[in-house]
Amino acid sequence: MFPDTINAVEAAATYHNFVKDDKSFRESFHEAGRIQGLVRQVLQAANSHLGGRKPTEKTAELVEACHAKAKLSVGIFKGVAQAPEGLRFERYKEVIRERKGSTVEVLALGMMKYMCELAETDAMKAAMEDQVVNLRDAIAKLSRMEPSVPTEEAGHNFTNWGRDQINAPGGTVNRSEGTGNQFPGATFSGSVTFGKI
């Protein structure tokens, strides 16, 4: 679990290294590439802290979630690194469209937030306080940056780390909490009766 995720993050960083000086990319693209090293350090620290013990279920879930985002990052950075030099940004935009808007910075933010959550579990809290500070600083910095591709080119991308999220790009939100019938957007052209007759 940890070794596979660490390897994926290292691979993403290696592929980013091939394009690290390419000025056709926005700074958020390069920052997401540099962040791979920070995520690797946190993963190594967490793995070292476990000292061979079996991870908790929560730890395993968070590392697996990070691994999934790391693998996507590898695919993106690899695809870009293998493109001819003058066409790399265009290739990046193609890959983003294929992946329905998952930019490298969105993936990096997700990995860092998973690592913060991991570091805040009881099993890791004391050993990883410094790591959390570094992660939160990196999250704040990357969050303030301009997206690596204009949002209209990336498609609609939604990332939620809380409980509630409502997304309706260009549409209507119909939110109902509790039980009962719901008729979002319904039009009744005749008589309608609700309840007992």
Side-chain angles (χ1 to χ4, degrees):
M1 166 183 65
F2 275 100
D4 290 341
T5 307
I6 291 168
N7 289 339
V9 169
E10 287 175 343
T14 299
Y15 285 118
H16 173 258
N17 255 355
F18 288 114
V19 298
K20 69 179 181 184
D21 297 322
D22 192 324
K23 303 285 187 232
S24 65
F25 293 100
R26 291 181 176 176
E27 185 56 26
S28 56
F29 175 89
H30 293 301
E31 186 64 21
R34 290 186 291 267
I35 281 170
Q36 305 300 315
L38 175 60
V39 173
R40 179 184 46 80
Q41 290 172 1
V42 174
L43 286 163
Q44 288 173 331
N47 191 31
S48 175
H49 178 69
L50 281 175
R53 294 186 315 267
K54 183 179 178 187
T56 65
E57 187 176 322
K58 180 72 171 176
T59 297
E61 287 173 10
L62 292 167
V63 173
E64 284 302 318
C66 184
H67 184 247
K69 291 192 181 305
K71 285 189 341 187
L72 289 171
S73 297
V74 170
I76 293 171
F77 284 122
K78 180 179 180 180
V80 168
Q82 292 176 340
E85 194 169 333
L87 301 173
R88 288 177 176 158
F89 186 67
E90 291 306 313
R91 178 64 186 132
Y92 178 57
K93 291 191 299 187
E94 287 173 20
V95 172
I96 297 309
R97 277 192 295 274
E98 291 167 8
R99 297 182 190 284
K100 300 185 181 14
S102 293
T103 60
V104 290
E105 68 272 16
V106 168
L107 295 170
L109 285 167
M111 289 189 288
M112 289 189 294
K113 288 179 180 182
Y114 291 140
M115 292 300 95
C116 281
E117 200 173 328
L118 172 69
E120 291 170 351
T121 61
D122 290 337
M124 303 283 180
K125 198 173 225 169
M128 298 185 66
E129 284 182 51
D130 293 339
Q131 304 287 350
V132 172
V133 171
N134 294 337
L135 286 166
R136 294 212 186 282
D137 289 346
I139 288 168
K141 180 180 179 181
L142 187 56
S143 296
R144 287 189 304 267
M145 291 182 167
E146 184 177 33
S148 59
V149 293
T151 13
E152 63 274 4
E153 291 183 41
H156 298 292
N157 185 42
F158 304 107
T159 305
N160 180 36
W161 308 105
R163 292 183 182 264
D164 296 327
Q165 178 170 340
I166 300 172
N167 303 312
T172 303
V173 173
N174 296 298
R175 181 178 177 163
S176 179
E177 294 183 12
T179 60
N181 296 322
Q182 299 177 26
F183 305 96
T187 302
F188 300 100
S189 56
S191 62
V192 178
T193 304
F194 296 95
K196 296 181 181 180
I197 300 178

